[in-house]
């Protein structure tokens, strides 16, 4: 792999084959994601657990879009602004249950977002009953994207019908098990424009 620094991590930019230029490798990998299936190690995304009675109120305040009506088992994409009104970060937040959310950040801004959320709760909104916890290191994650993504994931699940369009629609989130009884979270989220899922264990 050709690596690049992203925050505290090194991330593969492309996997060049013998005699292949970097641009050709990117083109080949992109085409594979469009026509077949591709995988990306998403473990480096920042992950923050947000829990508490006022979690939805808190999310409404830190993102530009509304979170009050997000149902359990659904995810939403959000933009987070800094004090200057400029975009600080973007990512998805998953509502796992009534007062339990999993927020993802970009790789580079994970620590910055965590500090910002803690500052807001400790200095500005002390009345909110919310706890934020960095869980980046607790979750390994992979994104599977492309027209064959559902087939690949179904082959890894203990209950393959779980991954149907009806059971897990776009922006759906659910707990299930991989073969071998491994608990996991699956979200149907796409940043490639193709059918895609993120699997967290």
């Amino acid at each position: 792999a050709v690596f690049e620094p992203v925050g505290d991590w090194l991330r593969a930019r492309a996997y060049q084959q013998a005699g292949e230029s970097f641009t050709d490798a990117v083109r080949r990998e992109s085409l594979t994601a469009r026509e077949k299936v591709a995988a990306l190690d998403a473990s480096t995304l920042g992950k923050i657990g947000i829990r508490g009675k006022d979690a939805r109120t808190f999310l409404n305040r830190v993102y530009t879009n509304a979170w009050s009506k997000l149902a359990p088992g659904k995810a939403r994409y959000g933009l987070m602004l800094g004090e200057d009104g400029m975009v600080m970060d973007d990512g998805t937040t998953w509502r796992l249950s009534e007062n339990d959310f999993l927020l993802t950040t970009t790789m580079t801004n994970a620590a910055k977002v965590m500090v910002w959320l803690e500052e807001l709760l400790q200095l500005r909104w002390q009345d909110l009953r919310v706890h934020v916890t960095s869980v980046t290191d607790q979750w390994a994650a992979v994104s599977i994207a492309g027209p064959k993504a559902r087939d690949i994931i179904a082959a890894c699940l203990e209950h393959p019908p779980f991954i149907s369009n009806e059971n897990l629609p776009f922006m759906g989130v659910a707990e299930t098990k991989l073969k071998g009884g491994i608990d996991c979270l699956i979200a149907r989220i796409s940043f490639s424009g193709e059918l895609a899922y993120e699997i967290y264990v």
Side-chain angles (χ1 to χ4, degrees):
V2 177
F3 287 97
E4 65 179 339
V6 180
D8 293 333
W9 304 82
L10 285 176
R11 179 176 65 182
R13 292 182 70 200
Y15 292 85
Q16 288 176 254
Q17 295 178 351
E20 186 178 51
S21 71
F22 176 78
T23 301
D24 289 340
V26 170
R27 185 177 294 117
R28 174 182 47 77
E29 291 179 13
S30 298
L31 192 60
T32 300
R34 292 279 183 252
E35 295 178 347
K36 297 175 186 172
V37 69
L40 168 77
D41 182 355
S43 301
T44 56
L45 290 174
K47 301 170 210 72
I48 300 171
I50 299 179
R51 289 184 174 179
K53 177 181 174 290
D54 298 320
R56 284 179 291 163
T57 300
F58 182 59
L59 289 169
N60 273 335
R61 293 181 184 181
V62 298
Y63 280 118
T64 60
N65 46 330
W67 296 84
S68 297
K69 295 182 180 178
L70 183 68
K74 296 294 283 185
R76 180 166 290 159
Y77 177 80
L79 288 175
M80 186 180 295
L81 304 183
E83 288 185 292
D84 57 2
M86 301 299 287
V87 174
M88 178 196 302
D89 198 67
D90 67 326
T92 61
T93 299
W94 310 1
R95 188 170 183 192
L96 304 177
S97 64
E98 182 65 22
N99 297 316
D100 185 6
F101 295 80
L102 178 64
L103 179 152
T104 67
T105 72
T106 58
M107 297 166 211
T108 305
N109 289 328
K112 180 180 178 181
V113 170
M114 184 66 191
V115 168
W116 175 239
L117 297 179
E118 287 182 327
E119 177 183 324
L120 292 172
L121 286 171
Q122 293 177 24
L123 302 178
R124 302 184 190 192
W125 303 322
Q126 297 170 359
D127 59 316
L128 293 183
R129 288 190 278 178
V130 178
H131 294 282
V132 295
T133 307
S134 175
V135 293
T136 298
D137 295 341
Q138 280 71 39
W139 291 101
V142 64
S143 174
I144 307 291
K148 296 184 178 182
R150 185 177 283 129
D151 298 335
I152 297 294
I153 294 171
C156 299
L157 296 176
E158 283 196 343
H159 184 63
F162 169 84
I163 202 79
S164 71
N165 193 50
E166 295 73 31
N167 291 336
L168 194 61
F170 183 62
M171 298 305 276
V173 176
E175 294 182 55
T176 189
K177 290 186 183 292
L178 298 174
K179 287 185 177 174
I182 300 168
D183 293 326
C184 71
L185 289 173
I186 296 183
R188 185 172 159 196
I189 296 172
S190 178
F191 288 94
S192 65
E194 296 295 339
L195 177 69
Y197 301 86
E198 291 182 11
I199 303 174
Y200 284 50
V201 295

